[in-house]
Amino acid sequence: MTTAVLLVALSGCGTPAPTVEATTTAAQTAPATTAPPSPAATLTPGTIPAPAQRAPEPADSPAAAPSTAAPQAVPTASPTAVPSAARSSAAAPRPEPAEYSDPSSLTVVVNKRRPLNPVDYFPSGLVLPSVPLAVQEPNALLRGETAAAVEDLFEAAANDGVGLTLVSGYRSYQDQVSTYAHWVAQNGGNTDAADRISARAGFSEHQTGLAFDVGQSDGACTLAPCFADTAAGQWMAANAHRFGFILRYPAGAEAVTGFSGEAWHYRYVGVDVAEAMRNDGAATLEEYFGLPAAPGY
């Protein structure tokens, strides 16, 4: 198995930047008839720290307009301490298909105004995809259908001469508690700054098992804005939809998604939705499904 050894101090999306000790470039292989190992038997999600999320864009960046939502306290480890997810009066609720709120659905929409229900949701059927990893195994788990699509995507990229690596997959509620608290501390207690780069616990797509962070196999621009300019970043932008993935946080869409651009964060929604979004020119799930923007909590 190909791995890049990462040294990290805390856990979850948004932790201190990892130090890449070494990255091997040999392709990871597994017999086609061998099923991925059962996480319940061999892996414990969350016990090994996940890689970091980058620092926020400069405050004067066009995509960096501060959230208008009032700062809220850092969530504690208890799901009951998650901040209120009430919609603003300017964005009244509208009837919508149940699958947009069902955390087990491929089309669930999770954002700053749409927490997971329950907030400590744990997806069933997590598996380890047979692809090159830049993170230790417990942090590379994905839901079965997502893992299979990731394997197909990585194989197609390799056939085109592009090396990809999986940087992060499933994150638990507890991981995200520590992650968000770290970034609040890193920003001197400024929750607005932390909220632009790290989801609060119960509001993270990684918790669904449908999202993953991708990197280039040589480690270039991992979890950095320049990833968009790498061969891996460009290949993903041009081809991910063919395998059912969308770029969840496009640059310049912070007023809708609530997060600054992440060229490495992809979300599985299925081929039909991904290709329809591509054909319609819809940049975000919120816009495609006609849901309110979520710039803040």
Side-chain angles (χ1 to χ4, degrees):
M1 179 176 294
T2 302
T3 54
V5 179
L6 303 181
L7 300 182
V8 265
L10 297 175
S11 64
C13 179
T15 56
T19 300
V20 179
E21 288 286 316
T23 302
T24 58
T25 57
Q28 178 184 15
T29 61
T33 58
T34 302
S38 169
T42 62
L43 302 174
T44 304
T47 58
I48 299 177
Q53 186 167 317
R54 78 281 179 268
E57 297 170 1
D60 58 355
S61 168
S67 169
T68 57
Q72 301 186 28
V74 178
T76 67
S78 170
T80 60
V82 173
S84 171
R87 299 176 186 270
S88 69
S89 58
R94 54 176 292 179
E96 63 180 56
E99 58 264 28
Y100 296 173
S101 299
D102 180 356
S104 67
S105 169
L106 294 183
T107 52
V108 63
V109 180
V110 185
N111 61 35
K112 292 179 177 180
R113 294 180 180 172
R114 300 176 63 90
L116 289 166
N117 184 18
V119 293
D120 56 353
Y121 169 74
F122 178 83
S124 62
L126 291 174
V127 299
L128 180 67
S130 182
V131 298
L133 306 179
V135 66
Q136 290 158 310
E137 292 178 356
N139 293 302
L141 301 177
L142 294 167
R143 279 167 49 178
E145 189 171 354
T146 306
V150 164
E151 291 175 350
D152 290 343
L153 180 146
F154 274 53
E155 181 180 7
N159 289 339
D160 287 343
V162 176
L164 302 179
T165 185
L166 195 155
V167 179
S168 187
Y170 169 74
R171 315 255 183 81
S172 72
Y173 178 94
Q174 296 295 338
D175 287 339
Q176 207 66 29
V177 169
S178 298
T179 296
Y180 181 72
H182 166 78
W183 278 108
V184 171
Q186 284 290 100
N187 286 278
N190 185 336
T191 56
D192 282 346
D195 284 339
R196 293 185 53 240
I197 60 172
S198 181
R200 300 183 183 188
F203 294 80
S204 172
E205 277 204 330
H206 282 283
Q207 193 178 328
T208 67
L210 297 171
F212 80 106
D213 295 333
V214 65
Q216 187 160 280
S217 58
D218 62 2
C221 293
T222 299
L223 302 178
C226 60
F227 177 72
D229 300 320
T230 64
Q234 292 177 354
W235 189 94
M236 286 293 296
N239 294 281
H241 66 284
R242 298 194 291 116
F243 302 89
F245 293 94
I246 62 167
L247 179 65
R248 183 64 177 100
Y249 305 122
E254 187 170 351
V256 176
T257 67
F259 293 99
S260 55
E262 295 187 358
W264 55 88
H265 180 105
Y266 280 82
R267 158 69 191 278
Y268 187 68
V269 292
V271 173
D272 289 346
V273 172
E275 292 192 336
M277 288 181 64
R278 179 90 170 188
N279 293 336
D280 292 352
T284 68
L285 283 178
E286 288 82 2
E287 293 166 297
Y288 181 70
F289 290 143
L291 299 174
Y297 293 99

